[in-house]
Amino acid sequence: SVIKRIEDVEKDIDAYLYLDTEQALKQADEVDRLIASGKELEPLGGLPIGIKDNMCTKGMTTTCASRMLANFVPPYDATVVKKLKDRHDIILGKLNMDEFAMGSSTETSAFKKTKNPWDISRVPGGSSGGSAAAVAADEAFFTLGSDTGGSIRQPASLCGVVGMKPTYGAISRYGLIAFASSLDQIGPFTKDVTDCAMVLNAIAGHDANDSTSAVRECPDYKSALIDDVKGLKIGVPREYFGQGINEEVKKAVIDAIELLKTLGADYEETSLKYTDYALSAYYLIASAEASSNLGRYDGVKYGYRAANYEDMIDMYKKTRSEGFGSEVKRRIMLGTYALSSGYYDAYYLKALKVRTLITEDFKKAFEKYDVLIVPTSPTTAFKIGERIDNPMEMYLSDVCTVPVNIAGLPALSMPCGFDSRGLPIGLQIIGKAFDEETILRVAYTFE
Ligand code: GLN
């Protein structure tokens, strides 16, 4: 039925960069055989799913939506992919994204533009726009995305689905093609909160192949779904409800918080005073790390190489000029500048100091509150083409999501209503490090 659905709607949505329905059907037969032989599959196991195209899939192209990796077929599976395959999940294919996960609309993909299933003249958000749109359009039971500054939560919000960025270190990044290594984290897109908990159960946990993955016991995330918020303390930081946040978005989020109050939670306005500096710090840190991570695309080891060149330097130049799109080049230039001697202290080091202040801001807030609730995105889905020529405007799409990555915290976005155009609005629940359970518990009360 999922393949049938893809045949019906994919031409309008363009969520997939790679799709192998024949292979998927073969695997489905295998799953049928397993079930017939009495095997019990894990919750949500054995279902057709999709993976963002920046996670390595053995034998399946992994392009990062870039010309640079257009023909790259990884020789191994990312840890998350391996975990899902081990429980017989069927990987239908790879999902569109902004090139190297840089963007907020999936328009920087070198290959196609994914449309928002609620209104195909609008963007699905980004950078995991394909992963969000595929779940919203029923083209997969669940999908995986990655979130460096909002790339799971913002598209989840714009497409009206649940998306979670877990705590940094909760999920292995082995086989996730790096954008900004200190911020990147993999997470699920699902139709509801229960599914989100089940997918977390499937993918979380320590991995010796990722030195930043946390060594700790994994909880059963599903047991957090207890439908009771009595006594929970919610902080509502006013900086997330100020200028630039759409009035309809604000109202929907506040209404949801009021609803939690009627269910026995307590809320209070608070302040995270360094919030205004988060976006600047993020774009410096993320670009600095990207400029270093993307140094490996030199036309030698793998990926694209320019056809004609004079010498080695010329080969590097042409390969990188032709292989990368303009947003990626902008980040590499910004990052290289911020890291160069003479500017390092003024930009990169300063940004790291701001990072510490933001992290401490959150720490203090979590001495008082169990979760913080804020909007996910300042606006609902915008029109295709509306922001792509104005990087500053595009970057502002992330103003509510980047602080969470800077502090390495977990956060979930879920639908909380519609605007007057009928487009979904998302609210964001932010939790303490490694306290995904309280976030899920709060989210579950809305189901
Ligand atoms: N939109 C943000 C950026 O362009 C975040 C991207 C992401 O989370 N991968 O950097």
Side-chain angles (χ1 to χ4, degrees):
S1 67
V2 171
I3 292 174
K4 172 82 183 63
R5 177 74 183 162
I6 290 174
E7 280 165 4
D8 289 345
V9 304
E10 175 60 7
K11 58 182 185 314
D12 297 321
I13 306 296
D14 275 325
Y16 283 92
L17 285 177
Y18 176 95
L19 186 63
D20 190 345
T21 52
E22 227 167 274
Q23 179 61 27
L25 278 172
K26 269 192 217 144
Q27 282 177 14
D29 286 341
E30 180 59 31
V31 170
D32 276 347
R33 265 195 296 280
L34 282 172
I35 294 172
S37 73
K39 177 158 175 76
E40 239 179 76
L41 293 177
E42 281 182 41
L44 282 193
L47 293 173
I49 60 164
I51 306 284
K52 185 178 182 179
D53 210 20
N54 60 351
M55 286 169 237
C56 287
T57 41
K58 192 173 176 177
M60 234 182 227
T61 49
T62 299
T63 69
C64 277
S66 180
R67 273 188 297 278
M68 192 57 100
L69 290 173
N71 302 312
F72 176 59
V73 181
Y76 71 104
D77 280 323
T79 297
V80 288
V81 171
K82 184 173 180 313
K83 284 189 172 198
L84 295 176
K85 280 186 178 173
D86 284 350
R87 36 171 255 159
H88 310 286
D89 290 11
I90 300 164
I91 297 177
L92 287 161
K94 305 300 291 291
L95 294 156
N96 197 21
M97 54 185 281
D98 282 296
E99 185 177 9
F100 282 100
M102 297 171 189
S104 309
S105 66
T106 312
E107 291 168 288
T108 73
S109 166
F111 305 122
K112 54 163 79 162
K113 292 199 191 342
T114 299
K115 287 81 174 178
N116 190 313
W118 294 88
D119 173 351
I120 57 172
S121 69
R122 293 176 188 272
V123 303
S127 66
S128 316
S131 302
V135 171
D138 289 326
E139 294 187 81
F141 272 88
F142 68 86
T143 61
L144 295 187
S146 67
D147 190 313
T148 303
S151 279
I152 292 175
R153 291 159 288 153
Q154 185 257 16
S157 170
L158 270 47
C159 289
V161 298
V162 174
M164 185 171 210
K165 177 229 171 272
T167 310
Y168 184 79
I171 292 174
S172 169
R173 290 181 297 114
Y174 181 67
L176 168 69
I177 297 179
F179 161 12
S181 312
S182 78
L183 302 161
D184 297 343
Q185 189 59 205
I186 292 171
F189 284 91
T190 55
K191 293 175 197 294
D192 61 27
V193 175
T194 308
D195 285 6
C196 177
M198 292 197 278
V199 180
L200 277 184
N201 276 345
I203 61 174
H206 176 66
D207 176 13
N209 284 327
D210 172 4
S211 62
T212 63
S213 96
V215 187
R216 58 193 300 281
E217 228 9 74
C218 254
D220 170 15
Y221 294 102
K222 214 171 156 236
S223 63
L225 311 177
I226 56 171
D227 200 12
D228 177 13
V229 288
K230 270 188 236 59
L232 283 185
K233 289 206 184 67
I234 300 165
V236 183
R238 66 177 77 92
E239 289 80 2
Y240 289 77
F241 293 83
Q243 234 192 349
I245 312 293
N246 175 283
E247 291 302 325
E248 290 182 312
V249 170
K250 272 187 225 174
K251 183 171 182 317
V253 174
I254 297 290
D255 285 352
I257 296 170
E258 288 288 352
L259 183 65
L260 288 174
K261 190 171 176 185
T262 65
L263 296 172
D266 215 5
Y267 80 85
E268 184 176 279
E269 192 178 306
T270 183
S271 167
L272 292 168
K273 58 179 188 295
Y274 294 105
T275 305
D276 286 352
Y277 303 98
L279 202 62
S280 319
Y282 168 81
Y283 274 95
L284 282 168
I285 295 168
S287 303
E289 292 186 24
S291 72
S292 169
N293 272 325
L294 271 56
R296 73 192 68 178
Y297 304 105
D298 57 5
V300 178
K301 300 178 198 75
Y302 38 68
Y304 178 78
R305 179 187 292 183
N308 306 303
Y309 47 85
E310 265 145 40
D311 53 24
M312 192 175 71
I313 297 293
D314 194 40
M315 190 275 285
Y316 286 163
K317 272 192 196 161
K318 288 197 173 128
T319 295
R320 290 169 68 83
S321 308
E322 294 164 19
F324 290 135
S326 54
E327 184 59 31
V328 175
K329 287 177 192 162
R330 182 169 16 249
R331 306 285 178 112
I332 292 174
M333 285 193 283
L334 193 63
T336 306
Y337 179 79
L339 288 175
S340 42
S341 75
Y343 299 103
Y344 182 93
D345 287 3
Y347 295 107
Y348 183 66
L349 196 64
K350 190 79 154 270
L352 290 186
K353 288 179 181 166
V354 172
R355 183 174 198 168
T356 303
L357 292 172
I358 290 168
T359 308
E360 280 171 0
D361 238 5
F362 276 115
K363 226 184 242 161
K364 248 185 264 149
F366 282 123
E367 283 168 12
K368 260 179 106 178
Y369 307 110
D370 297 297
V371 292
L372 304 171
I373 299 187
V374 299
T376 307
S377 162
T379 66
T380 53
F382 45 94
K383 289 265 186 197
I384 292 172
E386 193 181 317
R387 297 189 188 165
I388 193 68
D389 296 324
N390 185 342
M392 276 314 287
E393 208 191 331
M394 189 68 90
Y395 295 174
L396 281 171
S397 318
D398 307 322
V399 64
C400 303
T401 47
V402 295
V404 166
N405 301 73
I406 288 184
L409 299 173
L412 174 143
S413 178
M414 70 183 299
C416 69
F418 295 93
D419 71 3
S420 46
R421 290 196 193 94
L423 298 168
I425 297 172
L427 72 77
Q428 185 180 196
I429 309 169
I430 308 172
K432 298 173 190 166
F434 294 106
D435 190 16
E436 279 78 4
E437 289 151 284
T438 307
I439 295 177
L440 290 166
R441 177 175 159 198
V442 173
Y444 185 64
T445 53
F446 290 116
E447 274 194 7

